[in-house]
Amino acid sequence: MKTKAAGGYWSNAQLAEVVEMVRKAHGLDLYPYDGNFLANSLDRRMTATSIPTLPAYAELLGRDPAEAEVLFRSLNVVYSEFFRNSLAFSLLEHLILPGFLDALEKSGRSEIRIWSAGCATGQEAWSVAILVAELAGTDGKPIPGRIIASDVSAFDLAKARAGIYRPEAMGNLRLKHVYNYFTRQGDVYIIVDRLKEGVEFVVHDLLDECTIYPPESIFGDFDLVLCSNVLMYYRPEMQRLILSKILRSLTEGGILLTDGTERQLVESIGGFHRIAAPAAVFRKN
Ligand SMILES: C[S@@+](CC[C@H](N)C(=O)[O-])C[C@H]1O[C@@H](n2cnc3c(N)ncnc32)[C@H](O)[C@@H]1O
């Protein structure tokens, strides 16, 4: 079997050799990543280093820890946007979060429990926090939600926690969200403190074998988990591992939101059913 990348073909055996060599030479683990994604990433590094063949590039990787590090880092894609998946966020706003808030009132519970897994620079977590605040009409009070936002990258989490965004990042936001949930300082926009009180950013690796969910959440039991644009970068066995953890972290009837491109893989793995086609929003079976 061959894995196609933009600039050529690699056999799975060649990819496996590179993975093993980088692990042995530099202690970096490329194994969890999806084959096509890895092949494309190798291809991009070959172009950037002007090395035309895989054996020559593999040789460079073996002897140069800096190049191995650059390749490894390139596998961690951190791009994010506010309200990135408009269809899914619309379902959250009009169906799922109102239902959760209603259930809170009836049950006497004080908060909705939400986990943004692979939150990058925070836009996903802040988007859901904005919706909870708006729907609950908190009017200056803390939101009735506990949002745990986790990522493997402490560097990006620090940006997420600071909640400072340049105007280019604000495109998907409604004007009322910008006015109500950000303050402007010079040419940046900063998340307001009352929203910050409801969101905790923590380092957590979804592939970690010792944890199911971030220990800071104390117990899982999340009503909602957002894990979008994360699964697609991993090989099927890692996707299954992550989804099985999410399944165990969700409360009975809890909801999972992924990116639309990850819809089929969630359906193929099982444990969830889609609640409204074509959005990638699922309920735990
Ligand atoms: C493309 S961003 C997606 C951000 C956000 N979820 C969104 O959809 O806009 C992927 C994020 O997942 C994080 N990530 C990748 N693998 C992870 C893992 N094993 N554990 C935790 N976070 C991970 C990356 O660090 C990155 O910040």
Side-chain angles (χ1 to χ4, degrees):
M1 165 120 171
K2 303 265 186 191
T3 298
K4 186 182 183 310
Y9 289 87
W10 290 286
S11 65
N12 284 348
Q14 281 172 312
L15 279 178
E17 259 176 46
V18 169
V19 168
E20 185 56 14
M21 185 269 291
V22 169
R23 190 186 62 75
K24 277 198 182 130
H26 310 295
L28 299 173
D29 190 7
L30 308 179
Y31 176 78
Y33 294 96
D34 169 74
N36 278 318
F37 174 57
L38 182 56
N40 280 319
S41 306
L42 284 164
D43 187 54
R44 271 195 297 276
R45 288 308 305 155
M46 286 169 66
T47 305
T49 52
S50 306
I51 295 181
T53 66
L54 184 62
Y57 181 69
E59 193 271 320
L60 171 70
L61 263 185
R63 70 178 149 78
D64 185 354
E67 178 55 30
E69 189 66 35
V70 173
L71 171 70
F72 188 65
R73 281 178 190 274
S74 77
L75 298 171
N76 204 37
V77 179
V78 292
Y79 179 78
S80 190
E81 289 174 17
F82 288 103
F83 296 96
R84 183 167 187 182
N85 181 342
S86 54
L87 190 56
F89 271 99
S90 172
L91 262 184
L92 281 190
E93 179 176 6
H94 296 292
L95 185 71
I96 293 158
L97 292 173
F100 286 158
L101 287 167
D102 202 34
L104 272 191
E105 254 177 49
K106 288 183 184 139
S107 69
R109 275 173 59 200
S110 60
E111 57 186 21
I112 307 172
R113 292 177 61 79
I114 298 172
W115 176 19
S116 167
C119 69
T121 39
Q123 289 90 329
E124 181 177 271
W126 295 127
S127 300
V128 75
I130 286 171
L131 291 184
V132 174
E134 189 170 61
L135 288 165
T138 50
D139 229 6
K141 294 195 290 292
I143 62 170
R146 173 159 158 77
I147 302 175
I148 295 279
S150 65
D151 202 280
V152 75
S153 161
F155 178 78
D156 294 296
L157 279 172
K159 291 188 185 174
R161 202 175 286 117
I164 302 174
Y165 297 95
R166 298 198 55 77
E168 310 82 89
M170 309 291 285
N172 292 350
L173 287 156
R174 296 176 203 159
L175 211 49
K176 64 175 180 174
H177 291 158
V178 178
Y179 283 135
N180 291 338
Y181 302 107
F182 293 82
T183 53
R184 185 161 184 180
Q185 275 182 31
D187 61 353
V188 295
Y189 294 82
I190 306 175
I191 295 283
V192 294
D193 285 346
R194 69 179 191 283
L195 221 52
K196 286 186 174 173
E197 281 167 33
V199 187
E200 187 179 355
F201 289 95
V202 298
V203 176
H204 178 252
D205 183 353
L206 286 160
L207 302 182
D208 172 33
E209 282 167 11
C210 303
T211 55
I212 297 170
Y213 43 77
E216 290 82 351
S217 74
I218 318 253
F219 56 100
D221 240 359
F222 293 104
D223 300 294
L224 168 68
V225 175
L226 303 100
C227 185
S228 72
N229 300 291
V230 179
L231 295 165
M232 62 169 76
Y233 298 111
Y234 287 113
R235 57 168 64 225
E237 85 193 70
M238 302 302 160
Q239 294 170 345
R240 276 195 294 275
L241 172 69
I242 294 172
L243 283 172
S244 72
K245 289 183 181 203
I246 290 174
L247 201 59
R248 291 171 68 186
S249 304
L250 279 166
T251 190
E252 218 40 60
I255 299 289
L256 166 66
L257 182 152
T258 68
D259 186 68
T261 55
E262 295 160 319
R263 185 166 56 75
Q264 280 183 339
L265 78 89
V266 176
E267 284 171 338
S268 70
I269 284 169
F272 295 95
H273 60 276
R274 196 143 43 99
I275 59 169
V281 181
F282 308 86
R283 194 181 293 282
K284 177 176 170 172
N285 286 339

mmCIF file of all heavy atoms in Angstrom, residues 34 37 77 79 84-88 124 227-234 239 243 256-269 274 278-282:
data_model
loop_
_atom_site.group_PDB
_atom_site.id
_atom_site.type_symbol
_atom_site.label_atom_id
_atom_site.label_comp_id
_atom_site.label_asym_id
_atom_site.label_seq_id
_atom_site.Cartn_x
_atom_site.Cartn_y
_atom_site.Cartn_z
ATOM 1 N N ASP A 34 -1.747 10.294 11.269
ATOM 2 C CA ASP A 34 -2.341 9.731 10.059
ATOM 3 C C ASP A 34 -1.281 9.674 8.942
ATOM 4 O O ASP A 34 -0.510 10.631 8.761
ATOM 5 C CB ASP A 34 -3.503 10.647 9.653
ATOM 6 C CG ASP A 34 -4.025 10.328 8.276
ATOM 7 O OD1 ASP A 34 -4.694 9.298 8.148
ATOM 8 O OD2 ASP A 34 -3.732 11.095 7.337
ATOM 9 N N PHE A 37 -1.331 12.490 6.277
ATOM 10 C CA PHE A 37 -0.938 13.758 6.898
ATOM 11 C C PHE A 37 0.578 13.775 7.113
ATOM 12 O O PHE A 37 1.248 14.772 6.815
ATOM 13 C CB PHE A 37 -1.706 13.912 8.218
ATOM 14 C CG PHE A 37 -1.297 15.108 9.029
ATOM 15 C CD1 PHE A 37 -1.348 16.379 8.508
ATOM 16 C CD2 PHE A 37 -0.872 14.945 10.350
ATOM 17 C CE1 PHE A 37 -0.976 17.484 9.270
ATOM 18 C CE2 PHE A 37 -0.503 16.035 11.118
ATOM 19 C CZ PHE A 37 -0.552 17.308 10.577
ATOM 20 N N VAL A 77 -0.961 21.167 14.370
ATOM 21 C CA VAL A 77 -1.625 22.293 13.706
ATOM 22 C C VAL A 77 -2.484 23.017 14.742
ATOM 23 O O VAL A 77 -3.327 22.392 15.389
ATOM 24 C CB VAL A 77 -2.528 21.768 12.562
ATOM 25 C CG1 VAL A 77 -3.256 22.904 11.867
ATOM 26 C CG2 VAL A 77 -1.682 20.960 11.583
ATOM 27 N N TYR A 79 -4.254 26.079 14.213
ATOM 28 C CA TYR A 79 -5.176 27.090 13.688
ATOM 29 C C TYR A 79 -6.565 26.940 14.320
ATOM 30 O O TYR A 79 -7.072 25.833 14.489
ATOM 31 C CB TYR A 79 -5.280 26.963 12.159
ATOM 32 C CG TYR A 79 -6.232 27.953 11.588
ATOM 33 C CD1 TYR A 79 -5.849 29.279 11.423
ATOM 34 C CD2 TYR A 79 -7.541 27.585 11.284
ATOM 35 C CE1 TYR A 79 -6.754 30.215 10.942
ATOM 36 C CE2 TYR A 79 -8.446 28.519 10.797
ATOM 37 C CZ TYR A 79 -8.039 29.822 10.630
ATOM 38 O OH TYR A 79 -8.933 30.747 10.174
ATOM 39 N N ARG A 84 -16.210 28.433 14.690
ATOM 40 C CA ARG A 84 -15.581 27.919 13.465
ATOM 41 C C ARG A 84 -16.540 27.103 12.600
ATOM 42 O O ARG A 84 -16.537 27.223 11.391
ATOM 43 C CB ARG A 84 -14.379 27.053 13.874
ATOM 44 C CG ARG A 84 -13.601 26.513 12.716
ATOM 45 C CD ARG A 84 -12.289 25.962 13.191
ATOM 46 N NE ARG A 84 -11.449 25.579 12.099
ATOM 47 C CZ ARG A 84 -10.254 25.030 12.259
ATOM 48 N NH1 ARG A 84 -9.786 24.828 13.469
ATOM 49 N NH2 ARG A 84 -9.523 24.709 11.229
ATOM 50 N N ASN A 85 -17.340 26.271 13.279
ATOM 51 C CA ASN A 85 -18.243 25.402 12.541
ATOM 52 C C ASN A 85 -19.650 25.969 12.737
ATOM 53 O O ASN A 85 -20.331 25.682 13.710
ATOM 54 C CB ASN A 85 -18.094 23.995 13.138
ATOM 55 C CG ASN A 85 -18.954 22.986 12.455
ATOM 56 O OD1 ASN A 85 -19.909 23.324 11.764
ATOM 57 N ND2 ASN A 85 -18.626 21.724 12.664
ATOM 58 N N SER A 86 -20.097 26.804 11.779
ATOM 59 C CA SER A 86 -21.291 27.613 12.027
ATOM 60 C C SER A 86 -22.544 26.755 12.231
ATOM 61 O O SER A 86 -23.386 27.075 13.071
ATOM 62 C CB SER A 86 -21.499 28.627 10.909
ATOM 63 O OG SER A 86 -21.524 27.962 9.681
ATOM 64 N N LEU A 87 -22.648 25.669 11.486
ATOM 65 C CA LEU A 87 -23.835 24.816 11.615
ATOM 66 C C LEU A 87 -23.896 24.189 13.020
ATOM 67 O O LEU A 87 -24.933 24.207 13.689
ATOM 68 C CB LEU A 87 -23.762 23.716 10.543
ATOM 69 C CG LEU A 87 -24.991 22.872 10.330
ATOM 70 C CD1 LEU A 87 -26.191 23.747 10.008
ATOM 71 C CD2 LEU A 87 -24.736 21.867 9.208
ATOM 72 N N ALA A 88 -22.770 23.667 13.465
ATOM 73 C CA ALA A 88 -22.730 23.016 14.779
ATOM 74 C C ALA A 88 -22.974 24.047 15.889
ATOM 75 O O ALA A 88 -23.721 23.786 16.841
ATOM 76 C CB ALA A 88 -21.386 22.319 14.974
ATOM 77 N N GLU A 124 -12.505 28.238 20.479
ATOM 78 C CA GLU A 124 -13.632 27.305 20.631
ATOM 79 C C GLU A 124 -14.257 27.433 22.030
ATOM 80 O O GLU A 124 -15.480 27.516 22.192
ATOM 81 C CB GLU A 124 -13.111 25.888 20.409
ATOM 82 C CG GLU A 124 -14.125 24.797 20.492
ATOM 83 C CD GLU A 124 -13.458 23.448 20.183
ATOM 84 O OE1 GLU A 124 -13.416 23.078 19.002
ATOM 85 O OE2 GLU A 124 -12.956 22.798 21.118
ATOM 86 N N CYS A 227 -14.549 18.557 20.387
ATOM 87 C CA CYS A 227 -13.229 18.051 19.986
ATOM 88 C C CYS A 227 -13.195 18.144 18.465
ATOM 89 O O CYS A 227 -13.512 17.183 17.767
ATOM 90 C CB CYS A 227 -13.019 16.620 20.470
ATOM 91 S SG CYS A 227 -11.349 16.011 20.121
ATOM 92 N N SER A 228 -12.843 19.320 17.963
ATOM 93 C CA SER A 228 -12.934 19.487 16.519
ATOM 94 C C SER A 228 -11.572 19.806 15.927
ATOM 95 O O SER A 228 -10.746 20.483 16.551
ATOM 96 C CB SER A 228 -13.970 20.559 16.169
ATOM 97 O OG SER A 228 -13.513 21.809 16.474
ATOM 98 N N ASN A 229 -11.363 19.267 14.744
ATOM 99 C CA ASN A 229 -10.090 19.440 14.024
ATOM 100 C C ASN A 229 -8.914 18.899 14.826
ATOM 101 O O ASN A 229 -7.846 19.511 14.870
ATOM 102 C CB ASN A 229 -9.880 20.920 13.658
ATOM 103 C CG ASN A 229 -10.990 21.445 12.765
ATOM 104 O OD1 ASN A 229 -11.083 21.050 11.615
ATOM 105 N ND2 ASN A 229 -11.865 22.266 13.309
ATOM 106 N N VAL A 230 -9.124 17.810 15.505
ATOM 107 C CA VAL A 230 -8.060 17.127 16.254
ATOM 108 C C VAL A 230 -7.948 15.683 15.739
ATOM 109 O O VAL A 230 -6.876 15.239 15.334
ATOM 110 C CB VAL A 230 -8.347 17.121 17.773
ATOM 111 C CG1 VAL A 230 -7.243 16.378 18.527
ATOM 112 C CG2 VAL A 230 -8.499 18.537 18.313
ATOM 113 N N LEU A 231 -9.088 14.975 15.715
ATOM 114 C CA LEU A 231 -9.080 13.553 15.328
ATOM 115 C C LEU A 231 -8.476 13.342 13.945
ATOM 116 O O LEU A 231 -7.781 12.359 13.702
ATOM 117 C CB LEU A 231 -10.523 13.026 15.318
ATOM 118 C CG LEU A 231 -11.223 12.999 16.668
ATOM 119 C CD1 LEU A 231 -12.725 12.830 16.479
ATOM 120 C CD2 LEU A 231 -10.673 11.870 17.532
ATOM 121 N N MET A 232 -8.726 14.293 13.042
ATOM 122 C CA MET A 232 -8.338 14.105 11.628
ATOM 123 C C MET A 232 -6.828 13.929 11.431
ATOM 124 O O MET A 232 -6.393 13.382 10.436
ATOM 125 C CB MET A 232 -8.819 15.298 10.795
ATOM 126 C CG MET A 232 -8.211 16.605 11.228
ATOM 127 S SD MET A 232 -8.537 17.951 10.070
ATOM 128 C CE MET A 232 -10.221 18.350 10.415
ATOM 129 N N TYR A 233 -6.033 14.365 12.393
ATOM 130 C CA TYR A 233 -4.576 14.283 12.232
ATOM 131 C C TYR A 233 -4.005 12.937 12.681
ATOM 132 O O TYR A 233 -2.815 12.688 12.526
ATOM 133 C CB TYR A 233 -3.892 15.411 13.016
ATOM 134 C CG TYR A 233 -4.303 16.765 12.492
ATOM 135 C CD1 TYR A 233 -5.107 17.622 13.247
ATOM 136 C CD2 TYR A 233 -3.919 17.169 11.220
ATOM 137 C CE1 TYR A 233 -5.517 18.850 12.741
ATOM 138 C CE2 TYR A 233 -4.325 18.391 10.710
ATOM 139 C CZ TYR A 233 -5.124 19.225 11.480
ATOM 140 O OH TYR A 233 -5.520 20.426 10.969
ATOM 141 N N TYR A 234 -4.845 12.101 13.273
ATOM 142 C CA TYR A 234 -4.337 10.865 13.872
ATOM 143 C C TYR A 234 -4.748 9.615 13.097
ATOM 144 O O TYR A 234 -5.765 9.613 12.402
ATOM 145 C CB TYR A 234 -4.835 10.767 15.314
ATOM 146 C CG TYR A 234 -4.121 11.735 16.232
ATOM 147 C CD1 TYR A 234 -4.784 12.795 16.826
ATOM 148 C CD2 TYR A 234 -2.761 11.590 16.480
ATOM 149 C CE1 TYR A 234 -4.113 13.690 17.658
ATOM 150 C CE2 TYR A 234 -2.083 12.479 17.306
ATOM 151 C CZ TYR A 234 -2.764 13.519 17.884
ATOM 152 O OH TYR A 234 -2.087 14.388 18.687
ATOM 153 N N GLN A 239 -7.560 7.654 16.892
ATOM 154 C CA GLN A 239 -8.904 8.252 16.849
ATOM 155 C C GLN A 239 -9.846 7.455 17.756
ATOM 156 O O GLN A 239 -10.633 8.034 18.515
ATOM 157 C CB GLN A 239 -9.440 8.224 15.404
ATOM 158 C CG GLN A 239 -8.664 9.106 14.457
ATOM 159 C CD GLN A 239 -9.055 8.862 12.997
ATOM 160 O OE1 GLN A 239 -9.698 7.878 12.656
ATOM 161 N NE2 GLN A 239 -8.653 9.772 12.130
ATOM 162 N N LEU A 243 -11.746 8.897 21.031
ATOM 163 C CA LEU A 243 -13.208 8.854 21.103
ATOM 164 C C LEU A 243 -13.699 7.992 22.256
ATOM 165 O O LEU A 243 -14.724 8.295 22.877
ATOM 166 C CB LEU A 243 -13.790 8.365 19.773
ATOM 167 C CG LEU A 243 -13.800 9.433 18.680
ATOM 168 C CD1 LEU A 243 -14.207 8.839 17.340
ATOM 169 C CD2 LEU A 243 -14.746 10.587 19.032
ATOM 170 N N LEU A 256 -21.336 15.358 21.813
ATOM 171 C CA LEU A 256 -19.998 15.570 21.245
ATOM 172 C C LEU A 256 -20.127 16.409 19.980
ATOM 173 O O LEU A 256 -20.987 16.154 19.135
ATOM 174 C CB LEU A 256 -19.363 14.214 20.880
ATOM 175 C CG LEU A 256 -18.118 14.263 19.973
ATOM 176 C CD1 LEU A 256 -16.944 14.940 20.686
ATOM 177 C CD2 LEU A 256 -17.720 12.862 19.513
ATOM 178 N N LEU A 257 -19.254 17.409 19.875
ATOM 179 C CA LEU A 257 -19.208 18.233 18.652
ATOM 180 C C LEU A 257 -17.826 18.075 18.024
ATOM 181 O O LEU A 257 -16.809 18.222 18.705
ATOM 182 C CB LEU A 257 -19.471 19.685 19.050
ATOM 183 C CG LEU A 257 -19.529 20.755 17.959
ATOM 184 C CD1 LEU A 257 -20.435 21.898 18.420
ATOM 185 C CD2 LEU A 257 -18.170 21.299 17.612
ATOM 186 N N THR A 258 -17.795 17.740 16.734
ATOM 187 C CA THR A 258 -16.518 17.662 16.016
ATOM 188 C C THR A 258 -16.598 18.566 14.787
ATOM 189 O O THR A 258 -17.632 19.192 14.532
ATOM 190 C CB THR A 258 -16.207 16.224 15.528
ATOM 191 O OG1 THR A 258 -17.140 15.880 14.500
ATOM 192 C CG2 THR A 258 -16.277 15.206 16.650
ATOM 193 N N ASP A 259 -15.537 18.569 13.992
ATOM 194 C CA ASP A 259 -15.628 19.273 12.721
ATOM 195 C C ASP A 259 -16.421 18.416 11.729
ATOM 196 O O ASP A 259 -16.438 17.182 11.850
ATOM 197 C CB ASP A 259 -14.220 19.539 12.176
ATOM 198 C CG ASP A 259 -14.283 20.409 10.933
ATOM 199 O OD1 ASP A 259 -14.659 21.589 11.076
ATOM 200 O OD2 ASP A 259 -14.006 19.917 9.825
ATOM 201 N N GLY A 260 -17.033 19.070 10.736
ATOM 202 C CA GLY A 260 -17.817 18.347 9.733
ATOM 203 C C GLY A 260 -16.988 17.274 9.030
ATOM 204 O O GLY A 260 -17.497 16.203 8.701
ATOM 205 N N THR A 261 -15.699 17.538 8.820
ATOM 206 C CA THR A 261 -14.845 16.573 8.109
ATOM 207 C C THR A 261 -14.590 15.328 8.958
ATOM 208 O O THR A 261 -14.099 14.331 8.440
ATOM 209 C CB THR A 261 -13.486 17.202 7.757
ATOM 210 O OG1 THR A 261 -12.910 17.705 8.962
ATOM 211 C CG2 THR A 261 -13.604 18.324 6.755
ATOM 212 N N GLU A 262 -14.904 15.387 10.251
ATOM 213 C CA GLU A 262 -14.661 14.240 11.136
ATOM 214 C C GLU A 262 -15.939 13.433 11.395
ATOM 215 O O GLU A 262 -15.926 12.448 12.130
ATOM 216 C CB GLU A 262 -14.063 14.733 12.463
ATOM 217 C CG GLU A 262 -12.676 15.347 12.259
ATOM 218 C CD GLU A 262 -12.236 16.268 13.382
ATOM 219 O OE1 GLU A 262 -13.067 17.058 13.875
ATOM 220 O OE2 GLU A 262 -11.065 16.246 13.753
ATOM 221 N N ARG A 263 -17.023 13.867 10.752
ATOM 222 C CA ARG A 263 -18.332 13.261 10.991
ATOM 223 C C ARG A 263 -18.317 11.758 10.704
ATOM 224 O O ARG A 263 -18.729 10.954 11.539
ATOM 225 C CB ARG A 263 -19.355 13.973 10.098
ATOM 226 C CG ARG A 263 -20.768 13.555 10.288
ATOM 227 C CD ARG A 263 -21.713 14.543 9.636
ATOM 228 N NE ARG A 263 -21.470 14.769 8.218
ATOM 229 C CZ ARG A 263 -21.784 13.922 7.241
ATOM 230 N NH1 ARG A 263 -22.349 12.775 7.517
ATOM 231 N NH2 ARG A 263 -21.548 14.227 5.989
ATOM 232 N N GLN A 264 -17.800 11.412 9.518
ATOM 233 C CA GLN A 264 -17.849 9.999 9.133
ATOM 234 C C GLN A 264 -17.004 9.124 10.029
ATOM 235 O O GLN A 264 -17.358 7.995 10.339
ATOM 236 C CB GLN A 264 -17.403 9.838 7.688
ATOM 237 C CG GLN A 264 -18.536 10.190 6.752
ATOM 238 C CD GLN A 264 -18.188 9.989 5.309
ATOM 239 O OE1 GLN A 264 -17.015 9.950 4.953
ATOM 240 N NE2 GLN A 264 -19.199 9.898 4.479
ATOM 241 N N LEU A 265 -15.874 9.672 10.475
ATOM 242 C CA LEU A 265 -15.028 8.800 11.304
ATOM 243 C C LEU A 265 -15.658 8.574 12.670
ATOM 244 O O LEU A 265 -15.569 7.467 13.211
ATOM 245 C CB LEU A 265 -13.570 9.303 11.364
ATOM 246 C CG LEU A 265 -13.129 10.445 12.238
ATOM 247 C CD1 LEU A 265 -12.738 9.935 13.599
ATOM 248 C CD2 LEU A 265 -11.949 11.121 11.585
ATOM 249 N N VAL A 266 -16.366 9.562 13.208
ATOM 250 C CA VAL A 266 -17.081 9.344 14.483
ATOM 251 C C VAL A 266 -18.157 8.281 14.263
ATOM 252 O O VAL A 266 -18.306 7.352 15.058
ATOM 253 C CB VAL A 266 -17.718 10.651 15.016
ATOM 254 C CG1 VAL A 266 -18.532 10.387 16.276
ATOM 255 C CG2 VAL A 266 -16.648 11.698 15.290
ATOM 256 N N GLU A 267 -18.870 8.404 13.140
ATOM 257 C CA GLU A 267 -19.950 7.435 12.874
ATOM 258 C C GLU A 267 -19.396 6.039 12.680
ATOM 259 O O GLU A 267 -19.998 5.058 13.112
ATOM 260 C CB GLU A 267 -20.747 7.880 11.644
ATOM 261 C CG GLU A 267 -21.662 9.039 11.983
ATOM 262 C CD GLU A 267 -22.316 9.665 10.763
ATOM 263 O OE1 GLU A 267 -21.798 9.523 9.650
ATOM 264 O OE2 GLU A 267 -23.344 10.312 10.957
ATOM 265 N N SER A 268 -18.217 5.937 12.044
ATOM 266 C CA SER A 268 -17.670 4.604 11.771
ATOM 267 C C SER A 268 -17.178 3.932 13.052
ATOM 268 O O SER A 268 -17.153 2.709 13.154
ATOM 269 C CB SER A 268 -16.540 4.690 10.744
ATOM 270 O OG SER A 268 -15.428 5.325 11.325
ATOM 271 N N ILE A 269 -16.804 4.717 14.028
ATOM 272 C CA ILE A 269 -16.250 4.130 15.251
ATOM 273 C C ILE A 269 -17.362 3.699 16.219
ATOM 274 O O ILE A 269 -17.225 2.731 16.959
ATOM 275 C CB ILE A 269 -15.225 5.102 15.882
ATOM 276 C CG1 ILE A 269 -13.934 5.034 15.049
ATOM 277 C CG2 ILE A 269 -14.936 4.778 17.345
ATOM 278 C CD1 ILE A 269 -12.917 6.081 15.326
ATOM 279 N N ARG A 274 -25.704 10.717 15.420
ATOM 280 C CA ARG A 274 -25.804 12.122 15.007
ATOM 281 C C ARG A 274 -27.202 12.639 15.353
ATOM 282 O O ARG A 274 -28.174 11.926 15.143
ATOM 283 C CB ARG A 274 -25.549 12.216 13.507
ATOM 284 C CG ARG A 274 -25.243 13.583 13.027
ATOM 285 C CD ARG A 274 -24.196 13.550 11.921
ATOM 286 N NE ARG A 274 -24.427 12.504 10.961
ATOM 287 C CZ ARG A 274 -25.030 12.701 9.774
ATOM 288 N NH1 ARG A 274 -25.473 13.895 9.445
ATOM 289 N NH2 ARG A 274 -25.178 11.714 8.934
ATOM 290 N N PRO A 278 -26.990 17.852 8.600
ATOM 291 C CA PRO A 278 -25.690 17.216 8.412
ATOM 292 C C PRO A 278 -24.649 17.671 9.443
ATOM 293 O O PRO A 278 -23.455 17.477 9.223
ATOM 294 C CB PRO A 278 -25.298 17.712 7.017
ATOM 295 C CG PRO A 278 -25.873 19.100 6.957
ATOM 296 C CD PRO A 278 -27.106 19.102 7.832
ATOM 297 N N ALA A 279 -25.072 18.275 10.546
ATOM 298 C CA ALA A 279 -24.081 18.806 11.502
ATOM 299 C C ALA A 279 -23.327 17.678 12.202
ATOM 300 O O ALA A 279 -23.878 16.606 12.449
ATOM 301 C CB ALA A 279 -24.788 19.668 12.550
ATOM 302 N N ALA A 280 -22.067 17.941 12.530
ATOM 303 C CA ALA A 280 -21.245 16.938 13.222
ATOM 304 C C ALA A 280 -21.450 17.080 14.732
ATOM 305 O O ALA A 280 -20.540 17.407 15.492
ATOM 306 C CB ALA A 280 -19.785 17.119 12.843
ATOM 307 N N VAL A 281 -22.699 16.876 15.144
ATOM 308 C CA VAL A 281 -23.057 16.952 16.563
ATOM 309 C C VAL A 281 -23.718 15.626 16.921
ATOM 310 O O VAL A 281 -24.664 15.203 16.255
ATOM 311 C CB VAL A 281 -24.028 18.132 16.829
ATOM 312 C CG1 VAL A 281 -24.379 18.214 18.307
ATOM 313 C CG2 VAL A 281 -23.403 19.445 16.372
ATOM 314 N N PHE A 282 -23.189 14.972 17.948
ATOM 315 C CA PHE A 282 -23.586 13.592 18.261
ATOM 316 C C PHE A 282 -24.039 13.483 19.717
ATOM 317 O O PHE A 282 -23.537 14.193 20.586
ATOM 318 C CB PHE A 282 -22.399 12.640 18.078
ATOM 319 C CG PHE A 282 -21.722 12.771 16.742
ATOM 320 C CD1 PHE A 282 -20.724 13.727 16.544
ATOM 321 C CD2 PHE A 282 -22.096 11.963 15.680
ATOM 322 C CE1 PHE A 282 -20.110 13.868 15.308
ATOM 323 C CE2 PHE A 282 -21.491 12.096 14.445
ATOM 324 C CZ PHE A 282 -20.495 13.044 14.252
#
